[in-house]
Amino acid sequence: MKAGIGKKTKGKLNSFLIFLGLSLLLWFLTKFSKEITNDVQGQLHLVGIPEGNMLMGEDLIPVRIQMQGTGFDYLYYAFNKPKIEVDVASSAIENNGTWVLPRIEVNSLASQQLSQDAEVQLPSNGLPITLEILATKKVAVKIMADVSYEEGFSPIDSYYVVPDSVTVSGPSSVIDTLSIVETERKAYVNVSQDLDDILLLSVGEDSNLNVNPDTVEFSLSVAEFIEDSRVIPIEVINVPPDTDVQLFPSSVTISYVIDFDNYKKILASDFKVVCDLSKASEDANLLAPELIRYPKTAKNVTMNTAQVEFIIIQ
């Protein structure tokens, strides 16, 4: 007997739930089928920038759009924001360098593209947009590389960058102040061989600038260096006729570092040290040796003597 009562109760509960579900469905369909006027979140997509100008800022502008539709329409727009495409060249009005999108023009485009009456919530005098004149300039490249070398190794010469300048285009207000374009910062540690790399060019946070090309080739020749020295005789110049000058000391030691490949090619005759008698001090018999010639492959060239004594023999 109790089992029969349970089945009846369960059957009544199922019937109630079905009736409740149908009622809710009917209410939902009735509620969402009604035409209402409401605001939705949309976007203006700015395209067709006038030739010779560029848009400052984003090309997608969030706006509120008032439109009439069913609840189903608004439910759709809640997940798919309506986007209205605005051709700036044909729609915007320019006055003394200020550009404005007229409200009536934007509303007309909205109604056409959304296939129903729509009103974009814009200021009564229109939506101002910022356009700047597009400028182009050739700018030098600055390498932002931090290089440290393995002990005994050094660069043979300064680095090479190809190309050494690039074309940058963007707003004239920015281009006019631009003098260099930096590469990405990159570190090279314990370098003991030639470097060859591709570096990206960076314009910082200014996304309105365009760089062409946007990469450069960076190369640096590296070699192992050793210390060496040569004893070089000093030559006296600007000596009057029938005059002999004796120096103490008569030679200097030239110290330098040289890459391994050129070590055996260095000769004493590659160096020239002179003392100019016309620069002699009247108060003391001293002259300063001058190194006027040395091999370009030699680096950190120094002399062990800053002054020498002299006597004049007539």
Side-chain angles (χ1 to χ4, degrees), residues 192-205:
S192 60
Q193 57 187 2
D194 292 350
L195 283 177
D196 289 288
D197 203 358
I198 301 294
L199 297 179
L200 289 171
L201 294 175
S202 171
V203 290
E205 298 179 356

Side-chain angles (χ1 to χ4, degrees), residues 246-260:
Q246 190 168 354
L247 300 177
F248 303 95
S250 61
S251 62
V252 294
T253 299
I254 305 294
S255 300
Y256 53 91
V257 293
I258 188 76
D259 64 281
F260 219 76

Side-chain angles (χ1 to χ4, degrees), residues 234-248 273-290 308-314:
I234 303 173
E235 178 184 339
V236 184
I237 60 175
N238 293 322
V239 179
D242 301 323
T243 301
D244 190 18
V245 177
Q246 190 168 354
L247 300 177
F248 303 95
V273 179
V274 301
C275 280
D276 190 343
L277 190 62
S278 65
K279 296 180 181 180
S281 170
E282 295 180 358
D283 301 330
N285 291 341
L286 296 174
L287 288 172
E290 300 176 49
V308 294
E309 295 182 1
F310 73 94
I311 58 174
I312 296 176
I313 303 173
Q314 293 181 331

Side-chain angles (χ1 to χ4, degrees), residues 78-91:
F79 297 96
N80 301 275
K81 293 181 180 179
K83 186 183 294 183
I84 302 163
E85 193 169 280
V86 180
D87 188 296
V88 176
S90 60
S91 301

Side-chain angles (χ1 to χ4, degrees), residues 34-263:
K34 290 181 179 179
E35 290 276 340
I36 57 174
T37 299
N38 206 345
D39 288 355
V40 298
Q41 185 70 40
Q43 294 176 316
L44 297 184
H45 184 202
L46 305 184
V47 298
I49 306 303
E51 188 175 355
N53 291 268
M54 71 177 302
L55 176 68
M56 301 299 292
E58 299 295 331
D59 60 355
L60 288 176
I61 302 175
V63 291
R64 297 292 297 177
I65 305 172
Q66 186 180 83
M67 53 197 302
Q68 189 172 7
T70 66
F72 294 107
D73 292 328
Y74 290 110
L75 186 61
Y76 171 79
Y77 287 133
F79 297 96
N80 301 275
K81 293 181 180 179
K83 186 183 294 183
I84 302 163
E85 193 169 280
V86 180
D87 188 296
V88 176
S90 60
S91 301
I93 297 174
E94 188 265 340
N95 184 20
N96 293 327
T98 301
W99 294 80
V100 175
L101 293 174
R103 182 176 179 179
I104 189 171
E105 178 72 19
V106 175
N107 286 335
S108 175
L109 291 170
S111 297
Q112 292 173 23
Q113 295 178 27
L114 299 177
S115 302
Q116 58 177 291
D117 289 339
E119 184 176 344
V120 182
Q121 304 299 302
L122 297 179
S124 58
N125 55 353
L127 177 68
I129 58 174
T130 304
L131 299 181
E132 279 212 30
I133 297 174
L134 187 66
T136 300
K137 186 178 182 180
K138 200 82 168 177
V139 179
V141 173
K142 182 178 180 180
I143 298 294
M144 303 299 290
D146 299 318
V147 185
S148 64
Y149 302 91
E150 189 174 315
E151 187 175 355
F153 289 82
S154 295
I156 295 177
D157 207 339
S158 59
Y159 64 78
Y160 291 91
V161 54
V162 180
D164 60 1
S165 60
V166 293
T167 301
V168 184
S169 58
S172 57
S173 60
V174 178
I175 293 295
D176 290 344
T177 62
L178 196 66
S179 58
I180 60 169
V181 173
E182 296 180 349
T183 66
E184 61 179 316
R185 185 171 288 279
K186 204 165 184 179
Y188 304 90
V189 183
N190 293 331
V191 175
S192 60
Q193 57 187 2
D194 292 350
L195 283 177
D196 289 288
D197 203 358
I198 301 294
L199 297 179
L200 289 171
L201 294 175
S202 171
V203 290
E205 298 179 356
D206 199 333
S207 59
N208 291 311
L209 292 179
N210 179 61
V211 182
N212 183 38
D214 59 1
T215 62
V216 294
E217 296 179 26
F218 167 64
S219 59
L220 182 66
S221 296
V222 177
E224 185 175 7
F225 281 74
I226 60 173
E227 295 182 358
D228 197 12
S229 62
R230 288 285 190 278
V231 176
I232 307 299
I234 303 173
E235 178 184 339
V236 184
I237 60 175
N238 293 322
V239 179
D242 301 323
T243 301
D244 190 18
V245 177
Q246 190 168 354
L247 300 177
F248 303 95
S250 61
S251 62
V252 294
T253 299
I254 305 294
S255 300
Y256 53 91
V257 293
I258 188 76
D259 64 281
F260 219 76
D261 291 340
N262 288 302
Y263 168 64

Side-chain angles (χ1 to χ4, degrees), residues 10-28:
K10 189 174 181 181
K12 287 180 180 181
L13 180 60
N14 289 338
S15 299
F16 172 75
L17 292 175
I18 291 172
F19 176 77
L20 180 61
L22 290 173
S23 299
L24 289 174
L25 179 61
L26 182 61
W27 174 85
F28 180 82

